[in-house]
Amino acid sequence: MKVKLIILFAVFTMPFLASGQGRSCDCLANLNETIKKTEENYAGFPTKVNAGYHTLVGNLQAKAASETDAKRCFYLIRDYVRFFKDKHFSFAYMNADDPDLEMVEDDAISGNADAVEGMWVNPDSTVWLRIKKFPGNEYKAIIVKAKDEKLKKGLVYFSLTPHKKGFLLKQYNVFNSVDMYAKQRGGLLQLWNFALYGKVGPTAMTTAEKAELNKWRDNNNGLDFQMPDKETALVKIPTFFNNDSKVEKLISAHDKEIRNSKYLVIDLRGNGGGNSGWSFLLPYVMTDPIKQDVPLLRVSPDNVKLKRGELEYFVKNPVPAEAKKYFPDPFVAQLKKTYEELPVTKKAFYAVPGLTIPVDSVLQNPSKVALITDDLCGSSAEYFFKLMAQSRKTVRYGINSVGMMDYEGPGTTTPLPHKQFILMIPVSKSSWTDENPIDDTGFTPDVKLNMPEKEWVEYVLKDLKKRS
């Protein structure tokens, strides 16, 4: 059993697009089911509900009573979900046949264009965009040409609104309650952890920026390995979303170089999370067994059934020999006790045992590790950041993370009457949530970097060596 299959982690995923059911729906039934399941199961509900909540519910129910259009209903339910200000609590509408079509007449940019305005291209040169500023301080990315015939010239593919993290991002045909972000770095424009564009006019990318854009070609997702100097290995992982096998392949291919390097830099900038690809980095950073968080499950019939389903394997089956070091007998006994106690507990929240990741051996090299994160790092990237506080050889650099780890990323959806509505409710909160919540602030690095981002790596390399 591989480590990545048994680690408890938070998940942040992008929606897929589906078609089929159509636009007709009973909005009130879907809203009421969302409200019911939230009040029963959402781990944050007991502390986040207030007088304004009941006013909001009444207003939304009144609007939903006569609504039968699925897209308009999405926006009503989205307002309900957004009340809780939890980036792991998400609601999406999946219908590839029901896009918002905005077409604008494209012409060349002239005059004193803002830095983000101009012509941009994706890594595979299959989408060419012109970004222009419009009234309301909104920047629209307009299709100039695209390989996909559905992306017609003049289509607004995404729009950007200035935000403290860079930009708020609104994508063509993506309907989700969670705010998405984008950030420009010179001649590169990163759409959170799932896309990168390069500028080709009126100014062009630098040689280094072109090389970085090429690392996103053929679904490589920006993965990169470099040797900035003969003593230092650098691994760049811009996303953990559906990227585990690629991360494993990259690390395996450069295992020898990493083990022969005195220093290791792990650059996660822009990484909004996803799966547990960070587990492949653990052998190089661990100095002691890593104790994972003890999540607090909100006790409800649905949540108890869900958690017992996850634990059932350990109750009814012997642990395979290859997994014994991860699941020693005392820990399995705790899991079995949890399984038995959950149906009868009177607690409002139940502490589910957290797995401890054992350390086989502490590598002499790399002797010092730098972890670089920024304000777009979230979910499982934040979780890795939190765990690295337990590594005595790791120093965490950057700026505060996005902030989405007070409530664990849900692993299952909550069914609603309209099948193209996808509701994901966090059922557990983190051990620190009540006393030291971070969703409003993000996690704070050990060393804050206040210089331009393009200077970060150079600074980190110098600082890390001073600490040897």
Side-chain angles (χ1 to χ4, degrees):
M1 183 180 294
K2 294 184 179 180
V3 173
K4 69 173 183 176
L5 298 179
I6 59 178
I7 290 174
L8 307 177
F9 58 94
V11 181
F12 174 57
T13 60
M14 292 295 298
F16 58 89
L17 294 176
S19 60
Q21 188 169 343
R23 291 188 61 167
S24 179
C25 79
D26 182 341
C27 188
L28 184 59
N30 285 275
L31 174 62
N32 284 340
E33 184 68 7
T34 300
I35 293 170
K36 177 177 181 291
K37 292 301 183 182
T38 298
E39 294 182 351
E40 291 175 352
N41 301 328
Y42 175 45
F45 184 81
T47 56
K48 294 192 175 189
V49 68
N50 55 36
Y53 170 81
H54 301 292
T55 301
L56 173 69
V57 166
N59 290 338
L60 292 177
Q61 287 176 326
K63 293 177 181 179
S66 59
E67 186 57 75
T68 59
D69 180 86
K71 188 188 295 181
R72 291 195 294 267
C73 185
F74 159 77
Y75 288 109
L76 291 176
I77 300 177
R78 183 192 69 171
D79 286 347
Y80 173 80
V81 172
R82 283 190 168 185
F83 169 86
F84 298 99
K85 298 180 180 179
D86 182 345
K87 296 181 183 67
H88 270 148
F89 187 5
S90 68
F91 175 65
Y93 171 48
M94 316 290 199
N95 190 346
D97 301 324
D98 188 19
D100 277 343
L101 290 173
E102 182 183 4
M103 307 292 293
V104 299
E105 186 174 336
D106 176 41
D107 54 16
I109 295 172
S110 59
N112 297 321
D114 290 349
V116 76
E117 293 186 88
M119 184 75 75
W120 297 80
V121 65
N122 71 342
D124 297 297
S125 298
T126 56
V127 177
W128 293 73
L129 306 164
R130 194 186 312 279
I131 297 181
K132 298 173 60 176
K133 189 175 184 179
F134 284 76
N137 206 23
E138 181 181 22
Y139 298 86
K140 296 181 181 181
I142 305 159
I143 294 289
V144 174
K145 61 179 179 179
K147 184 176 181 181
D148 186 344
E149 295 181 355
K150 293 181 181 179
L151 303 180
K152 303 295 185 183
K153 182 178 180 180
L155 173 71
V156 176
Y157 197 47
F158 59 84
S159 62
L160 305 170
T161 305
H163 184 271
K164 62 183 180 180
K165 295 185 185 296
F167 298 98
L168 276 178
L169 169 68
K170 180 182 178 183
Q171 299 169 268
Y172 163 72
N173 210 18
V174 173
F175 301 92
N176 196 302
S177 62
V178 179
D179 283 341
M180 299 292 170
Y181 306 105
K183 180 179 287 189
Q184 183 182 3
R185 293 182 283 106
L188 298 173
L189 178 65
Q190 186 163 344
L191 308 187
W192 211 346
N193 65 338
F194 47 87
L196 189 71
Y197 285 82
K199 195 170 189 179
V200 292
T203 57
M205 292 174 282
T206 64
T207 300
E209 288 168 345
K210 289 179 182 178
E212 184 172 348
L213 183 68
N214 284 335
K215 291 297 180 179
W216 286 76
R217 291 177 65 92
D218 302 319
N219 295 313
N220 187 58
N221 300 325
L223 290 173
D224 192 18
F225 177 85
Q226 302 172 16
M227 292 289 294
D229 58 56
K230 61 182 182 180
E231 291 186 307
T232 309
L234 187 151
V235 178
K236 192 166 189 176
I237 308 176
T239 180
F240 287 131
F241 175 58
N242 289 343
N243 217 24
D244 285 7
S245 61
K246 293 185 179 71
V247 173
E248 181 180 24
K249 183 178 179 180
L250 177 76
I251 300 302
S252 297
H254 298 285
D255 174 72
K256 184 176 180 180
E257 292 102 311
I258 297 173
R259 289 175 184 265
N260 289 332
S261 297
K262 188 174 182 179
Y263 308 103
L264 170 64
V265 177
I266 302 169
D267 188 346
L268 298 187
R269 281 177 289 176
N271 192 321
N275 306 104
S276 60
W278 49 263
S279 64
F280 302 110
L281 298 167
L282 292 179
Y284 311 107
V285 302
M286 290 182 69
T287 55
D288 302 279
I290 292 178
K291 296 179 180 179
Q292 296 196 86
D293 190 51
V294 179
L296 301 169
L297 177 76
R298 186 178 177 198
V299 176
S300 71
D302 286 343
N303 294 350
V304 166
K305 180 179 179 181
L306 175 66
K307 184 56 63 175
R308 292 183 91 232
E310 295 173 358
L311 299 175
E312 187 171 2
Y313 174 87
F314 300 99
V315 174
K316 297 187 176 181
N317 300 280
V319 176
E322 66 271 20
K324 274 284 188 181
K325 68 176 181 179
Y326 302 106
F327 290 84
D329 291 342
F331 179 64
V332 173
Q334 287 182 304
L335 297 181
K336 290 181 178 179
K337 180 182 178 183
T338 298
Y339 182 87
E340 294 165 357
E341 288 184 349
L342 278 174
V344 296
T345 184
K346 301 300 182 184
K347 298 177 181 178
F349 285 87
Y350 188 99
V352 178
L355 183 146
T356 295
I357 306 170
V359 57
D360 294 326
S361 62
V362 178
L363 298 180
Q364 182 177 352
N365 281 326
S367 61
K368 282 290 183 182
V369 178
L371 175 63
I372 304 178
T373 56
D374 66 2
D375 54 353
L376 296 191
C377 286
S379 197
S380 60
E382 282 186 303
Y383 191 61
F384 181 62
F385 175 94
K386 177 71 172 176
L387 294 181
M388 286 305 92
Q390 300 179 53
S391 168
R392 289 180 280 110
K393 64 167 68 175
T394 300
V395 182
R396 300 171 300 175
Y397 296 85
I399 55 180
N400 283 29
S401 60
V402 70
M404 55 191 300
M405 275 303 301
D406 284 343
Y407 298 91
E408 286 194 350
T412 60
T413 60
T414 296
L416 294 177
H418 191 71
K419 302 306 179 186
Q420 290 171 329
F421 287 159
I422 307 299
L423 180 66
M424 302 194 75
I425 301 176
V427 301
S428 297
K429 61 184 176 182
S430 300
S431 62
W432 61 79
T433 301
D434 291 338
E435 301 298 329
N436 298 293
I438 61 92
D439 277 3
D440 288 338
T441 62
F443 286 118
T444 301
D446 304 316
V447 180
K448 277 206 166 187
L449 301 180
N450 298 312
M451 71 284 294
E453 195 171 330
K454 63 182 180 181
E455 300 174 9
W456 283 16
V457 171
E458 182 180 356
Y459 175 88
V460 167
L461 290 175
K462 292 179 180 178
D463 187 73
L464 197 64
K465 292 175 182 180
K466 290 179 183 178
R467 297 169 181 267
S468 296

